[in-house]
Amino acid sequence: MSDSRIDALQLEHIEHLQAAYADILNQHGYDAILIGSGAAPMRYADDQAHHHHGYGHFLHWTGLAGTEHSWLLVDKDGGARLFLHTPVDFWHATASIPDAPWTQRIDVTGQPGPEAPDIDYPERLAVIGDPAQVSDVKGDLNPATLLSALDNLRVAKTPYEVACIDHANAIAAKGHEAAREAFLAGASEFEINLAYQRATGQREALAPYHSIIGLNDHAGILHYQYYDTRSPARPRSLLIDAGVRYRGYCSDITRTTAAPGENRFQALIGGLESLQKRLCEAVAPGVDYMELHRRCHQGIAALLKASELVHTLDDNAIVERGITRAFFPHGLGHFLGIQVHDVAGKPRPSPEDHPALRLTHCLKPGMVVTIEPGLYFIPSLLEPVLDGPDGQYLNRTLIDELKGCGGIRIEDNVLVTEAGARNLTRTHLPV
């Protein structure tokens, strides 16, 4: 999609927000809302700051990721004014007043200081954002019911938001392809990360989250956070979970690759990918995401049995005994949008038997979700099962053979449509 088309969709998106905020402010009895962009906190006992991505409700209007010390004022009629921090500073590059189509809908003013704009505010003012920035502003600070309404406004994405997430998928797909090629050429985790950044043209600090790039047993550490600079003597597997941010919106994609000759592990990847595709195809309006998660466990059980990792038990027993949770300990997925784990995902508590599930909605058109089943060989989870009464049903020899590959996760970003679903990832990264 061209930038001009995305720009046109952004104008429609802002018009949607203007009408929605007007309704919400009137329902909650406010004349206006002041939204702080937030700012990077300073590291303790240091003069360096952490990286700043931006406050979600500020980005929902502006898309200005990384913008600090700025303020957005929206009144009860939907009128919006952006006070952009434009200091005089010879140490750092500073923001300039944007010249973009969206400024037709939002009045933009520069101000040199980080404080809230010095203007006349209405008496009934809501102020939301990081308390470190907004606590000195006179108004109703972060009112819970108002914040809940604004979070719920972000559940269904506008066509502009979908276009941004789709574009973020297109860019990330190039990075995943480059990462796979680097792995097959013998690169280290650090070198694979560089290949991903080079292909996406995105600095690591600007990514929506720290890329997970694990070789061999590191692939079994769900949020593995390091990059080895040396390749393992025998590369066996790569798991890469990495995304891109575009106009404030995120992609979140995971792929797993087996090294040549790892036939048993490759067969497991093929089986999990078949399951993942079926789950993506099952996304549709009215589907209970918790039931989709349970369906995933049934699929994991079937795969464990077909691969001879578990024997004797039927699929239902494998699930009921908690064996699938030892191989697949996380939830099936989550909302995706301005935040990687986007807001308002749990109107109901996670089920007791699956406490890590981040999404408990019945699906509706406009939602964007991730579908990310996994199958891992994590010693701290498998050893209690192997040493317990259910150990008799597990193939310890095969587990020992495969645990050096770490694990598998395959993740796509899926839009719920009126008729079913649209996979925003496989359009750009079919494998």
Side-chain angles (χ1 to χ4, degrees):
M1 184 177 293
S2 68
D3 287 345
S4 61
R5 178 57 182 149
I6 293 180
D7 286 339
L9 290 175
Q10 187 177 20
L11 296 180
E12 296 173 6
H13 170 73
I14 293 173
E15 289 175 358
H16 163 75
L17 292 184
Q18 288 174 315
Y21 265 63
D23 286 343
I24 291 171
L25 290 177
N26 281 288
Q27 289 170 15
H28 289 79
Y30 292 107
D31 294 315
I33 182 170
L34 184 66
I35 308 172
S37 66
M42 300 300 293
R43 298 171 182 164
Y44 176 68
D46 199 350
D47 63 355
Q48 300 293 312
H50 295 280
H51 186 73
H52 176 66
H53 284 286
Y55 178 48
H57 293 305
F58 181 85
L59 295 182
H60 199 197
W61 282 83
T62 69
L64 298 176
T67 297
E68 300 182 272
H69 303 299
S70 298
W71 304 82
L72 182 73
L73 181 68
V74 183
D75 63 38
K76 64 180 180 181
D77 296 321
R81 298 170 63 188
L82 172 62
F83 298 88
L84 187 66
H85 185 46
T86 53
V88 177
D89 185 355
F90 58 84
W91 290 104
H92 305 96
T94 59
S96 57
I97 302 297
D99 179 18
W102 62 265
T103 60
Q104 300 170 24
R105 300 288 186 271
I106 301 176
D107 180 56
V108 184
T109 301
Q111 63 172 33
E115 302 82 11
D118 184 13
I119 59 174
D120 290 331
Y121 292 103
E123 182 177 351
R124 298 181 301 167
L125 176 70
V127 182
I128 67 171
D130 184 345
Q133 182 190 26
V134 306
S135 59
D136 292 335
V137 182
K138 292 183 179 180
D140 195 356
L141 299 181
N142 290 323
T145 56
L146 177 65
L147 284 173
S148 178
L150 297 179
D151 285 350
N152 284 315
L153 178 61
R154 287 165 51 185
V155 167
K157 272 50 180 181
T158 64
Y160 166 71
E161 295 178 285
V162 173
C164 288
I165 297 169
D166 181 65
H167 194 73
N169 269 268
I171 299 171
K174 298 176 182 178
H176 278 267
E177 290 169 349
R180 182 178 185 276
E181 292 173 2
F183 164 66
L184 293 175
S188 67
E189 292 168 352
F190 179 74
E191 292 165 334
I192 292 168
N193 180 53
L194 293 180
Y196 180 84
Q197 289 184 59
R198 189 177 298 113
T200 58
Q202 174 188 251
R203 289 175 53 208
E204 188 172 26
L206 300 180
Y209 58 96
H210 185 278
S211 298
I212 300 166
I213 299 173
L215 296 180
N216 293 3
D217 59 325
H218 293 165
I221 302 171
L222 299 185
H223 286 172
Y224 177 65
Q225 69 272 42
Y226 303 113
Y227 303 136
D228 272 359
T229 56
R230 287 188 282 186
S231 302
R234 178 191 170 192
R236 301 184 65 187
S237 64
L238 162 69
L239 187 152
I240 172 169
D241 184 336
V244 161
R245 186 185 293 276
Y246 175 73
R247 296 194 181 202
Y249 288 87
C250 308
S251 56
D252 181 4
I253 303 171
T254 309
R255 290 293 185 266
T256 307
T257 302
E262 293 290 346
N263 298 331
R264 294 296 291 264
F265 190 65
Q266 179 58 56
L268 272 182
I269 293 175
L272 190 71
E273 182 166 26
S274 295
L275 171 61
Q276 195 265 356
K277 288 180 177 179
R278 293 197 303 273
L279 293 168
C280 288
E281 291 167 357
V283 170
V287 171
D288 187 332
Y289 197 87
M290 289 197 290
E291 290 305 314
L292 201 60
H293 174 80
R294 292 191 173 97
R295 192 185 307 181
C296 179
H297 273 271
Q298 290 290 330
I300 295 292
L303 181 56
L304 291 173
K305 190 159 186 184
S307 62
E308 301 179 345
L309 283 162
V310 178
H311 55 81
T312 306
L313 299 173
D314 63 26
D315 295 352
N316 288 333
I318 293 172
V319 174
E320 290 167 2
R321 290 173 177 266
I323 295 172
T324 55
R325 292 200 300 275
F327 287 92
F328 173 46
H330 60 77
L332 178 60
H334 49 81
F335 275 154
L336 181 70
I338 293 166
Q339 293 166 232
V340 177
H341 302 146
D342 217 2
V343 293
K346 293 178 68 173
R348 299 172 287 172
S350 301
E352 289 185 8
D353 54 341
H354 300 290
L357 185 59
R358 288 190 170 103
L359 185 55
T360 63
H361 276 268
C362 285
L363 299 180
K364 296 180 180 179
M367 293 177 171
V368 178
V369 303
T370 67
I371 300 293
E372 47 181 305
L375 195 158
Y376 311 90
F377 301 93
I378 303 173
S380 63
L381 298 181
L382 289 175
E383 285 170 3
V385 182
L386 287 165
D387 294 338
D390 289 334
Q392 61 183 310
Y393 305 118
L394 271 62
N395 186 334
R396 187 185 292 268
T397 301
L398 185 54
I399 289 172
D400 286 342
E401 176 190 335
L402 292 173
K403 67 182 180 182
C405 294
I408 307 163
R409 184 164 63 254
I410 301 170
E411 177 182 18
D412 290 346
N413 308 160
V414 181
L415 169 69
V416 185
T417 66
E418 294 286 348
R422 178 158 67 95
N423 193 313
L424 303 177
T425 301
R426 291 194 182 260
T427 301
H428 311 288
L429 189 65
V431 297

